[in-house]
Amino acid sequence: MEHDLVIYNTLKRKKERFVPLHPPFVGMYVCGPTVYGDAHLGHARPAITFDVLFRYLKRLGYEVRYVRNITDVGHLVDDADEGEDKIARAARAKKLEPMEVARHYTIGYHKNMEQLNTLPPGIEPLASGHIIEQQELVKKIIANGLAYESNGSVYFDVKRYDREHAYGKLSGRRVDELESSARHLEGQEEKRDPLDFALWKKAAPGHLMHWPSPWGEGFPGWHVECSCMSQKYLGETFDIHGGGLDLVFPHHECEIAQSTAANGHEAVRYWMHNNMITINGQKMGKSLGNFITLDQLFSGENDVLDQAYSPMTVRFFILQAHYRSPLDFSNDALKAARKGYERLLSAIAALDRATPAGTGNVAAEEIDALERDCRAALDDDLNTPVLLARLFDGTRLVQAIAAGTREINAANLARLQRLYRETVIDILGLKQETTNDTRLLGKVIDMLMDVREKARQEKDWKTSDRIRDELKQAGIIIKDTKEGHEWHVENNH
């Protein structure tokens, strides 16, 4: 399949042309949320990043199997091998069953993802639904001599693995460097080495989530679930594994080690990582207590927010930075994102209203260049800020066509309409939002138009013109058509 898509492979530390293992099929696995709290702005970035990749791969003609997991067991506090499960801790606090907590926050996550217009993955496996498969993977690693059982738990032997392979290749960390900074934590005496990580943990008395295993009652380690589920649904080798930059070490590093230890080879061909969203320069996250939930963003109910921001404003805010660049939250940036989003949607609306004129004076070469530049930006590791800049350049042509200072023939108009709709709506996933305010405004305008139409029938041109002019002063443009009237809000209002 002919295309020029290149993506940055974290493993190779460079951009590489994307060549799937079994074209036209593409296997993509993305680390989903640990569902112990409300989805926040930090969760939106990987969801939107890999949604755009999913959409673009499909636009290129690939058949994509998109898998995104839900972590509902095994993720302990502080991402460590000791302590309480994050979901179990939330369950204790709320006096609920852990699965009630997981289900509640999974439903909320799905609602927020739908609001952000992200396409659902084809498969969304739960860690708790794959306990047997995880145990089988652990057995393979033990049989290959790269894990050991200790007091009912099973640990991965990092140093032995490093002698045969190379632990740290994704993150660039070396075992001797890790060893010098490793903490000897209380309660980890059963490990042979502080660097070893848990594949299966013995359940302490009172631990809420546990299952029978060959090593005793316990629960899987956090890292093993993704190795297990990605390979179950995508095979021992698959194309793309995505997630946040904070997962490179230890989570994804451990995934590479587990897959190699079990199968004798790595599973993932292209590792992709989105950078973090920060607030005042600090990573946004639940553990730091500085996060803004998506529900708060959409309602404005958070002290750091000046106002409520719509889902499409948030989506545009994330798309205006390259996915590998840090993105700092600010009210000003979100307000600017709202204006940018409205400008693009207004361009699409203006193109829909435009009428072709004869041969026109818009050259086909102008459309060629715009199409070529938009495609080049997407092919260059999903460079959405460059893509948006080029689309904004094109809005000047759209405005000239709408104003009648440039004329365009039918074929070129159809191309321009298709380019904006496919790029903005189908690939970037931005859509027209209809809020209660918009619906109310529409009803008010319809009432005024009825009054205006009655005035026109009675040849009361003064009243008719006054309604039109005062609406224009308020930023609402009325256009009379054979079918009635159309209206839209100007960008600068």
Side-chain angles (χ1 to χ4, degrees):
M1 193 170 294
E2 289 298 320
H3 65 79
D4 297 314
L5 173 62
V6 297
I7 56 180
Y8 185 86
N9 189 346
T10 309
L11 185 65
K12 304 291 183 63
R13 292 166 180 74
K14 65 179 181 180
K15 293 178 185 178
E16 295 183 320
R17 185 168 183 268
F18 177 66
V19 182
L21 187 63
H22 301 295
F25 303 101
V26 172
M28 181 171 77
Y29 183 92
V30 176
C31 284
T34 300
V35 283
Y36 70 102
D38 291 318
H40 57 73
L41 185 56
H43 289 123
R45 194 168 199 191
I48 291 170
T49 295
F50 293 102
D51 181 61
V52 171
L53 178 61
F54 181 37
R55 289 167 177 268
Y56 189 49
L57 288 171
K58 291 201 301 177
R59 175 61 56 184
L60 291 175
Y62 290 112
E63 296 184 39
V64 186
R65 176 172 287 177
Y66 176 17
V67 184
R68 184 182 66 207
N69 72 298
I70 295 288
T71 297
D72 60 352
V73 66
H75 195 167
L76 305 187
V77 293
D78 299 324
D79 301 346
D81 282 339
E82 296 298 323
E84 196 166 16
D85 185 290
K86 292 184 176 185
I87 292 168
R89 183 171 64 175
R92 286 187 193 280
K94 296 176 181 292
K95 295 182 170 56
L96 296 171
E97 283 291 324
M99 287 299 105
E100 286 182 281
V101 171
R103 181 64 180 157
H104 172 78
Y105 289 117
T106 300
I107 290 171
Y109 176 77
H110 286 157
K111 180 196 73 174
N112 290 152
M113 294 304 103
E114 184 177 355
Q115 289 170 313
L116 290 168
N117 200 31
T118 64
L119 300 175
I123 301 173
E124 192 173 55
L126 303 177
S128 64
H130 295 75
I131 300 297
I132 293 173
E133 292 92 336
Q134 291 176 77
Q135 290 180 1
E136 291 302 310
L137 186 65
V138 173
K139 288 178 186 177
K140 286 179 71 174
I141 298 172
I142 293 174
N144 290 339
L146 291 169
Y148 57 91
E149 187 270 337
S150 177
N151 192 31
S153 295
V154 179
Y155 294 98
F156 191 92
D157 192 330
V158 170
K159 284 187 176 176
R160 182 167 181 183
Y161 172 85
D162 187 60
R163 288 196 297 270
E164 299 178 19
H165 305 282
Y167 185 77
K169 61 170 60 178
L170 185 68
S171 62
R173 306 188 188 198
R174 293 169 42 187
V175 165
D176 54 352
E177 295 169 348
L178 291 168
E179 191 172 26
S180 64
S181 61
R183 295 180 298 161
H184 291 264
L185 299 176
E186 185 177 347
Q188 295 198 19
E189 293 82 1
E190 61 190 25
K191 292 184 180 183
R192 293 178 184 170
D193 190 279
L195 295 183
D196 296 346
F197 58 89
L199 300 174
W200 184 266
K201 283 291 292 180
K202 179 181 179 180
H207 195 94
L208 294 177
M209 307 172 77
H210 53 86
W211 291 262
S213 80
W215 316 285
E217 284 285 321
F219 54 91
W222 173 36
H223 313 304
V224 75
E225 63 170 282
C226 288
S227 289
C228 164
M229 294 188 292
S230 61
Q231 292 173 59
K232 176 179 175 66
Y233 296 108
L234 299 175
E236 285 190 4
T237 306
F238 59 93
D239 295 306
I240 298 169
H241 193 317
L245 193 63
D246 56 334
L247 296 178
V248 170
F249 188 89
H251 188 52
H252 290 163
E253 197 73 78
C254 292
E255 277 193 60
I256 290 175
Q258 290 164 164
S259 300
T260 305
N263 304 321
H265 58 83
E266 294 180 34
V268 181
R269 302 176 68 242
Y270 299 87
W271 285 93
M272 296 181 68
H273 295 92
N274 63 274
N275 213 317
M276 299 294 98
I277 292 182
T278 58
I279 180 165
N280 298 322
Q282 185 180 40
K283 175 197 165 186
M284 183 178 290
K286 289 192 183 77
S287 60
L288 298 171
N290 65 350
F291 64 96
I292 305 168
T293 72
L294 291 171
D295 285 340
Q296 288 170 343
L297 270 168
F298 303 155
S299 68
E301 296 173 359
N302 187 296
D303 290 343
V304 304
L305 299 173
D306 288 350
Q307 63 181 65
Y309 299 100
S310 73
M312 289 302 97
T313 297
V314 173
R315 186 172 180 112
F316 189 97
F317 167 69
I318 288 171
L319 292 172
Q320 68 185 359
H322 191 271
Y323 78 89
R324 288 193 291 112
S325 299
L327 176 59
D328 199 53
F329 164 86
S330 75
N331 282 283
D332 287 344
L334 278 160
K335 289 170 185 172
R338 177 68 191 176
K339 290 181 179 178
Y341 156 73
E342 289 176 345
R343 186 178 169 192
L344 283 183
L345 269 290
S346 292
I348 291 174
L351 284 170
D352 289 343
R353 293 191 301 270
T355 54
T359 57
N361 59 15
V362 174
E365 288 78 11
E366 290 180 78
I367 316 270
D368 291 342
L370 188 57
E371 287 177 336
R372 186 170 56 249
D373 291 349
C374 289
R375 177 70 177 265
L378 284 165
D379 283 340
D380 184 17
D381 195 30
L382 301 181
N383 201 327
T384 56
V386 168
L387 172 62
L388 289 169
R390 193 63 184 95
L391 287 168
F392 284 139
D393 288 342
T395 61
R396 288 197 287 270
L397 173 60
V398 174
Q399 289 165 354
I401 293 168
T405 57
R406 298 289 303 276
E407 293 183 344
I408 188 167
N409 66 32
N412 284 336
L413 177 59
R415 288 178 62 197
L416 200 54
Q417 289 170 331
R418 183 170 59 251
L419 173 64
Y420 270 81
R421 283 200 163 272
E422 289 184 353
T423 307
V424 175
I425 296 174
D426 297 343
I427 297 173
L428 293 181
L430 296 165
K431 65 177 183 178
Q432 183 66 55
E433 290 180 307
T434 303
T435 64
N436 288 332
D437 289 344
T438 304
R439 286 191 288 268
L440 180 60
L441 178 61
K443 289 181 179 180
V444 171
I445 291 174
D446 287 341
M447 289 170 59
L448 286 170
M449 289 301 99
D450 289 342
V451 174
R452 181 170 178 257
E453 181 58 29
K454 185 178 179 182
R456 285 159 64 89
Q457 289 173 0
E458 295 175 353
K459 301 188 186 304
D460 181 1
W461 308 119
K462 182 178 179 181
T463 300
S464 171
D465 292 347
R466 181 184 172 193
I467 291 172
R468 182 198 62 208
D469 294 345
E470 291 196 6
L471 283 172
K472 183 177 182 180
Q473 192 174 357
I476 299 164
I477 306 303
I478 302 299
K479 180 179 180 181
D480 295 311
T481 69
K482 293 178 182 178
E483 291 77 26
H485 69 269
E486 297 175 353
W487 64 274
H488 70 278
V489 180
E490 278 191 317
N491 287 330
N492 56 352
H493 284 264

